[in-house]
Amino acid sequence: MDNAEIIASLRTLGLDAGATGEEIHSAFRRLARELHPDITGSKSDFRFKQITGAYNVLKNLTPEELQAVPQTQNIKRNIYDYYSETKKQRADAEKVDSILDKYEQELKTYFTASTQNSRDDIDMEAVIFRLKSSNYKVIDATLKHSLNLANKVEFRRALVEILKRPVIEESTAEITSSFPFDDITRKLIAMDSAENAGNFPTGLIISLIGNDSDVMESFLLHVKPDDVAVILRRWPAGKAMSQGVVRTLLDSDDARILVPILGAMRLNFPQSAAIHKKRLQALENHSTAAVRAWAKKLT
């Protein structure tokens, strides 16, 4: 990918050359909330597609690739950023918040009445309809009152669709982490949404992986580099890892991935060292001292 495309995508998100992956993710989340057609109507369709396309270009770039983009003079804020700060936009946002607050209160009243009437089966169709909303206030309000549905098949499938979205609100992830899933439901949710684990907050990852090595392996192939160590610290003692997953992690040049996988190999599955001896020998010349040290201990 050439630098011109990267710079153009950064400009679309209102960022300068040298922006980090975290800054890119944060900028996209902010703009997605402001520009989603469910909030602004069809007038922002084109702009929403622009930021989504830019994010798709940038989200899988490594820190090295992002830092390699030549620094230019600060990119001017795009017109929409300026517009979003106007009085009219703030008034529109307040109006939307007022509508959503009223809707959330109506949801609370609905679910409270259902409980008082001793209904064991809240209208699942109504719940699923609300969970399909593009507005996270609606989703969160529904989730808060649906704990008793945690292990229902229809509810699980709807929740997975939420977890597959490109943007997952922190509040939604926190509520999901609190659900009393049984082991089977938790694993099904985790495995069905694993490909999107790179968009999950760390707390949600921890709650979904449990102590299940199969789920951990699936997540290791998709999470952000910083979350690899989070998962491997919970790896079951003495449990071997699939060699394909080991190979994928070892093939990385990112020390945030290499240090935890090398440490896990030494502690839990040292027998893998012989299988990956050639790669380990190559890592003895890695630029990061901790990677070199762990690699030497395994060869």
Side-chain angles (χ1 to χ4, degrees), residues 89-155:
Q89 184 68 13
R90 289 196 299 272
D92 288 345
E94 290 173 0
K95 182 179 179 181
V96 169
D97 285 341
S98 176
I99 293 171
L100 292 173
D101 288 341
K102 180 179 179 181
Y103 187 68
E104 183 171 2
Q105 183 57 47
E106 290 175 351
L107 278 173
K108 182 177 180 180
T109 301
Y110 168 76
F111 282 107
T112 300
S114 298
T115 302
Q116 291 173 344
N117 291 333
S118 300
R119 286 182 54 185
D120 294 328
D121 54 339
I122 291 175
D123 186 350
M124 181 65 76
E125 185 175 347
V127 171
I128 301 305
F129 175 79
R130 291 177 172 89
L131 291 181
K132 290 181 179 180
S133 170
S134 297
N135 191 292
Y136 278 94
K137 273 200 171 184
V138 174
I139 292 173
D140 290 352
T142 304
L143 290 175
K144 288 176 183 177
H145 300 285
S146 302
L147 294 179
N148 62 318
L149 304 178
N151 299 301
K152 299 286 187 181
V153 174
E154 302 94 325
F155 183 83

Side-chain angles (χ1 to χ4, degrees), residues 8 10 43 75 149 181 184 198 205 210 222 225 235 245 253 274 280 283:
L10 288 168
K43 66 181 181 181
I75 299 171
L149 304 178
F181 300 121
I184 294 176
I205 291 172
H222 300 286
W235 189 263
V245 177
D253 286 322
L280 292 173
L283 290 176

Side-chain angles (χ1 to χ4, degrees), residues 10-220:
L10 288 168
R11 180 178 286 113
T12 298
L13 296 181
L15 297 171
D16 296 332
T20 65
E22 191 65 31
E23 289 170 337
I24 290 168
H25 185 62
S26 177
F28 175 68
R29 284 167 61 96
R30 175 177 59 81
L31 289 171
R33 285 195 295 268
E34 294 175 356
L35 293 165
H36 199 287
D38 282 357
I39 296 296
T40 63
S42 60
K43 66 181 181 181
S44 66
D45 279 351
F46 178 73
R47 182 77 178 104
F48 185 77
K49 290 177 181 178
Q50 279 187 317
I51 65 168
T52 302
Y55 182 64
N56 286 335
V57 168
L58 299 170
K59 67 178 181 179
N60 293 320
L61 295 180
T62 66
E64 292 76 17
E65 288 174 315
L66 289 171
Q67 291 304 312
V69 178
Q71 294 289 333
T72 60
Q73 60 182 357
N74 288 342
I75 299 171
K76 295 180 180 179
R77 293 180 305 164
N78 60 57
I79 294 175
Y80 187 85
D81 285 340
Y82 174 79
Y83 175 74
S84 69
E85 296 172 359
T86 65
K87 183 176 180 180
K88 179 180 182 302
Q89 184 68 13
R90 289 196 299 272
D92 288 345
E94 290 173 0
K95 182 179 179 181
V96 169
D97 285 341
S98 176
I99 293 171
L100 292 173
D101 288 341
K102 180 179 179 181
Y103 187 68
E104 183 171 2
Q105 183 57 47
E106 290 175 351
L107 278 173
K108 182 177 180 180
T109 301
Y110 168 76
F111 282 107
T112 300
S114 298
T115 302
Q116 291 173 344
N117 291 333
S118 300
R119 286 182 54 185
D120 294 328
D121 54 339
I122 291 175
D123 186 350
M124 181 65 76
E125 185 175 347
V127 171
I128 301 305
F129 175 79
R130 291 177 172 89
L131 291 181
K132 290 181 179 180
S133 170
S134 297
N135 191 292
Y136 278 94
K137 273 200 171 184
V138 174
I139 292 173
D140 290 352
T142 304
L143 290 175
K144 288 176 183 177
H145 300 285
S146 302
L147 294 179
N148 62 318
L149 304 178
N151 299 301
K152 299 286 187 181
V153 174
E154 302 94 325
F155 183 83
R156 167 174 58 80
R157 290 172 177 165
L159 184 57
V160 167
E161 291 306 310
I162 294 172
L163 297 181
K164 287 182 177 180
R165 296 182 183 185
V167 178
I168 301 172
E169 292 293 323
E170 292 281 350
S171 58
T172 305
E174 185 176 346
I175 296 170
T176 301
S177 299
S178 69
F179 266 77
F181 300 121
D182 59 39
D183 288 342
I184 294 176
T185 299
R186 178 193 53 74
K187 183 169 184 173
L188 288 171
I189 291 173
M191 297 298 280
D192 288 345
S193 61
E195 290 187 2
N196 201 37
N199 291 325
F200 291 178
T202 301
L204 179 59
I205 291 172
I206 293 172
S207 71
L208 289 177
I209 62 174
N211 296 312
D212 193 308
S213 60
D214 291 337
V215 174
M216 292 183 188
E217 288 191 356
S218 294
F219 273 50
L220 284 169

